[in-house]
Amino acid sequence: MKSHLPRTTGRHRRTTRVLAASLALTATTFGVAGCDSAAAGTLEGSRLELPVAGGTAVVDTASLAVNARTAHGRALVLSGPAGGGLGKPGPVTRTAHGARWSYPAKGLKVTASSERGRLRITLRADRDGSVSWPVTGTDRAAAALQLPRGEGLDVPVRDAFWNADAEKGGLAGSTVDVSEGLSLPLWGYSMGAAGVSYLTPTDIGTSLRLASTGGRLRTTAAHAFDAGEDTRDYEVSFALTDGNPVAPAADYRSYLAQRGQLGNLRRKIRQNPANGKLLGAFHAYVWGDARTASGVDKLKQLGVDRMWLGYDAGPDPMNAAAVTAAKKAGYLVGPYDTFANGQDPKTADSPTSVWPGRVYPDFCIRKADGTAVTGFGGRGCYLSSRAFEKAEPGKHYLADRTRTMVANGADSYFLDVDATGEVFRDHGKGHEMTKAGDREMRLARMQRLSKNLVLGSESAQSWANQVLAFDHGSGTPVADALWQLQRDRQKWGGYAPANAPKIFFKPVKLPAELATAMYDPKYRVPLYETALHGSLVNAERWELSYEKLPEQKTTRALLAMLYNTPLNYVLDGPTLEQKGPEMAALQKYFSPLHRAAGTEQLTSFRWLTGDRSVQRTVFGDGTLTVTANFGSRAHEGLPGGCVDAKLRTDDKPRRLCPAQANG
């Protein structure tokens, strides 16, 4: 797709310099710390002014419109009035850090306060209902929307592609469940040298609607107040930023750290030294001969010094000899499992869906009418995490399952779906739970697993970052069209043959719109890594192996090196023979970089060219600097399709041109 960026006018060059300005992603830089002011601001009529880092926020207590004035005197619109109106507000009462008031017609009580440099607004409802707020992207200066779909997107608000509807790959007209469809509970806007971050800690029950208005993308959040789901509270925190595209994620990292909710990979390694073997490792699910001891030896002979090897829980898992060989080689190895599905043992199509006793059907999640919630792919039912937690002290279903799965000596574990946004309300008698309760139960069992195993899960949401060492999926900005393509078994491939299922091994050409939505580098930004790099290791979805999408290989390799994240593979004997040398060359380049920076914070991201084709990241205090050229022309000596990485201890950059990697 052709670029929608304007020509390089003088004004555009100045804008580029602003966006490309190097930044240290510290709390102070992004206006999220150092301003926990005791001042309660001022109140004149319906105008409540509160101090925030980088300026002043102004809340209209009559409509919930929010504006701001930066320290440089610039006026910003942070939110329009709440959609649909709120009714006449009640009296405003001053508090130590702000004010509180109500909207009696909607049954809402509101507090607004200045907290750690942010504007924090909470709404509590005394009845079920909803509110459409904040209304964002309405400032005429809003230039780009940041959206944490997978790793992250930065979308110019006037871009024609994204202003199209979802059927054409765009965003207009779509609604995203914040708790399920976004990898982080946030979004943001850049306004040149200024910007705003929106955090919604109460993500369950919150959605984000995207609309194209006058050719510009706008967003409106909505929250459903539901006593049964325990979502009667809604919170939004606003922070002023410097307009850098990853600033909202830096704001969120600071938010998590301030509340003791940010995991630390160094600490996880101290607690379980095996976690350290993730540093420098590529990831691969193995099939056929690749899951044997000789297959492992082949990897080692190729010069691969670190790998995470996973295998399905079918009738032919990795045996003890293969696991021993993997561990001797310095690799991590573990099974795929899921605690989420139950089927009748007499007809179950997967061993992971077979449970003892009456787990099926007694543990099935139930709807309000008592019927079971059908499991993934129309198979069996989804199983209640609360039912398992209640039974575990006496029955040990999960502990026994895990013990059986790692009897071959495996030191890692991939627990499918537990860390995703897909959580459930359960009406089943004796194991009732809300979606938030489901999260709590999942976190409890993942915490137990992580004590002795290197634990990973699928498309990890940020709330799971403290218990996981790695995840597969949050690196992929999935567009809905991907699921449609995967359902076409003719194009995507099915589950045969058993030793190399085409669903994983068959190369696929993505439609142009889908390729743009997922992998066009000018729209990609490392929001997830900015928030969570150094907490866990993030990779792409396992059915999207590096070889699955041949036309995206170079871009995906450059993104992996730029973001300091591993590539994910599926391997069988022939693939290992044919593609092994290339994989080994890429892993050899990645390994020392990730060993040095995998536990560090991503501290800088910037574009070096106006067309966004050349991008740079920095990790830690200069521990690692990476420059990737996604274009076709050289930039300051760096050829198109190549990446330079420089460790602090290096005399000169290390160069990789993925298309030329051949071992």
Side-chain angles (χ1 to χ4, degrees):
M1 190 188 77
K2 293 182 179 179
S3 171
H4 295 288
L5 291 170
R7 291 178 298 170
T8 310
T9 62
R11 178 180 179 183
H12 180 57
R13 284 195 296 270
R14 288 193 295 274
T15 302
T16 300
R17 284 197 294 270
V18 169
L19 291 174
S22 182
L23 57 136
L25 301 186
T26 63
T28 303
T29 297
F30 286 106
V32 295
C35 189
D36 196 6
S37 173
T42 62
L43 176 66
E44 294 183 7
S46 65
R47 180 185 174 90
L48 174 66
E49 290 194 4
L50 293 171
V52 294
T56 302
V58 183
V59 182
D60 181 0
T61 61
S63 67
L64 274 185
V66 182
N67 295 287
R69 186 174 61 254
T70 71
H72 301 292
R74 182 174 172 185
L76 303 175
V77 178
L78 307 190
S79 172
L86 297 166
K88 184 179 179 180
V92 181
T93 302
R94 302 302 304 276
T95 64
H97 297 283
R100 64 174 182 266
W101 65 97
S102 65
Y103 299 107
K106 297 280 285 186
L108 294 174
K109 293 181 179 178
V110 185
T111 63
S113 59
S114 178
E115 183 179 290
R116 288 174 167 162
R118 298 182 187 86
L119 169 65
R120 178 174 181 257
I121 297 182
T122 62
L123 286 71
R124 169 165 289 187
D126 64 11
R127 68 194 76 161
D128 287 356
S130 64
V131 65
S132 294
W133 177 88
V135 179
T136 60
T138 60
D139 193 308
R140 295 184 66 180
L145 164 68
Q146 290 86 44
L147 195 67
R149 188 158 82 174
E151 181 59 65
L153 299 173
D154 179 89
V155 177
V157 298
R158 291 188 178 275
D159 191 289
F161 176 81
W162 295 105
N163 275 272
D165 60 34
E167 291 183 357
K168 297 179 180 178
L171 292 170
S174 62
T175 299
V176 182
D177 184 327
V178 174
S179 68
E180 188 171 339
L182 299 181
S183 58
L184 308 169
L186 62 87
W187 69 100
Y189 277 92
S190 294
M191 307 171 188
V196 59
S197 162
Y198 304 92
L199 306 183
T200 55
T202 49
D203 57 326
I204 294 176
T206 302
S207 59
L208 190 65
R209 185 172 69 253
L210 298 106
S212 179
T213 304
R216 295 170 57 87
L217 278 175
R218 293 183 178 179
T219 47
T220 300
H223 185 80
F225 300 104
D226 186 326
E229 277 290 7
D230 195 22
T231 59
R232 288 277 187 89
D233 291 293
Y234 179 38
E235 176 184 337
V236 181
S237 284
F238 304 73
L240 301 181
T241 75
D242 69 353
N244 185 277
V246 297
D251 175 25
Y252 183 53
R253 183 185 184 95
S254 175
Y255 178 95
L256 291 175
Q258 290 163 356
R259 286 158 179 76
Q261 297 170 359
L262 181 64
N264 185 295
L265 191 52
R266 288 193 185 98
R267 184 164 58 245
K268 293 172 185 177
I269 292 170
R270 288 196 298 270
Q271 293 167 348
N272 179 6
N275 284 320
K277 291 194 282 185
L278 285 170
L279 298 176
F282 276 3
H283 295 223
Y285 281 90
V286 289
W287 304 76
D289 291 343
R291 65 171 59 177
T292 64
S294 61
V296 172
D297 289 342
K298 174 67 174 176
L299 275 173
K300 194 66 177 177
Q301 291 166 13
L302 287 169
V304 176
D305 69 344
R306 290 277 175 100
M307 284 292 291
W308 179 91
L309 300 177
Y311 55 92
D312 68 325
D316 185 30
M318 287 187 78
N319 60 29
V323 169
T324 298
K327 293 168 74 173
K328 183 179 179 181
Y331 303 163
L332 287 165
V333 60
Y336 162 95
D337 196 8
T338 178
F339 298 162
N341 189 257
Q343 300 180 44
D344 185 335
K346 297 177 182 177
T347 58
D349 61 7
S350 169
T352 61
S353 299
V354 177
W355 297 89
R358 287 188 56 84
V359 167
Y360 179 86
D362 289 358
F363 285 19
C364 288
I365 293 172
R366 301 282 170 178
K367 302 176 185 177
D369 63 6
T371 59
V373 175
T374 304
F376 177 77
R379 303 152 55 250
C381 71
Y382 279 104
L383 297 176
S384 170
S385 60
R386 186 157 192 258
F388 273 122
E389 286 302 292
K390 289 185 68 175
E392 194 63 13
K395 296 292 187 178
H396 315 301
Y397 293 124
L398 302 182
D400 289 347
R401 162 70 78 88
T402 305
R403 192 177 300 113
T404 299
M405 295 288 274
V406 300
N408 59 0
D411 53 1
S412 185
Y413 214 79
F414 184 83
L415 187 60
D416 201 22
V417 310
D418 252 36
T420 68
E422 188 180 35
V423 290
F424 295 94
R425 182 169 179 191
D426 187 4
H427 296 269
K429 188 175 180 179
H431 48 82
E432 297 88 347
M433 66 180 179
T434 62
K435 290 181 178 179
D438 193 5
R439 277 187 184 176
E440 292 174 8
M441 300 301 106
R442 295 177 187 219
L443 281 171
R445 65 196 192 189
M446 286 191 287
Q447 181 65 52
R448 293 195 299 269
L449 282 171
S450 70
K451 290 181 180 179
N452 299 304
L453 294 165
V454 178
L455 182 64
S457 190
E458 177 191 359
S459 300
Q461 301 282 301
S462 58
W463 50 264
N465 86 87
Q466 292 179 280
V467 298
L468 294 179
F470 69 96
D471 94 276
H472 294 161
S474 287
T476 308
V478 174
D480 288 345
L482 178 67
W483 310 133
Q484 300 168 16
L485 181 60
Q486 289 188 1
R487 286 193 290 269
D488 187 336
R489 293 290 187 243
Q490 190 70 28
K491 293 181 178 179
W492 192 263
Y495 285 95
N499 282 348
K502 288 187 177 181
I503 190 172
F504 303 118
F505 286 89
K506 180 182 179 180
V508 169
K509 176 182 174 66
L510 294 180
E513 294 85 359
L514 185 55
T516 296
M518 292 179 61
Y519 291 113
D520 192 323
K522 67 173 170 285
Y523 301 127
R524 292 285 302 263
V525 289
L527 296 177
Y528 195 89
E529 299 315 310
T530 298
L532 297 177
H533 197 275
S535 174
L536 51 76
V537 174
N538 180 33
E540 286 215 60
R541 296 184 60 82
W542 75 308
E543 79 274 24
L544 293 176
S545 72
Y546 184 59
E547 298 293 342
K548 182 71 175 177
L549 308 174
E551 292 186 2
Q552 280 72 44
K553 283 180 62 173
T554 293
T555 293
R556 295 172 79 192
L558 294 181
L559 287 168
M561 303 309 157
L562 184 68
Y563 298 167
N564 198 230
T565 56
L567 291 172
N568 209 349
Y569 286 78
V570 291
L571 299 173
D572 66 345
T575 304
L576 188 56
E577 190 69 31
Q578 297 163 14
K579 303 294 185 179
E582 177 187 7
M583 182 186 73
L586 295 174
Q587 192 273 336
K588 184 178 181 180
Y589 181 85
F590 174 76
S591 185
L593 308 180
H594 196 237
R595 289 190 191 211
T599 57
E600 299 283 352
Q601 178 182 355
L602 193 162
T603 49
S604 175
F605 170 81
R606 56 181 175 140
W607 297 301
L608 301 187
T609 57
D611 64 0
R612 303 185 175 188
S613 64
V614 184
Q615 304 177 15
R616 177 170 291 166
T617 53
V618 178
F619 296 85
D621 185 19
T623 300
L624 172 66
T625 301
V626 186
T627 307
N629 187 346
F630 296 95
S632 57
R633 294 183 298 180
H635 175 78
E636 296 183 355
L638 177 62
C642 298
V643 59
D644 274 352
K646 188 176 186 302
L647 294 170
R648 183 191 286 117
T649 54
D650 288 341
D651 294 327
K652 61 180 182 179
R654 307 164 184 229
R655 178 161 295 175
L656 173 71
C657 299
Q660 301 172 16
N662 55 20

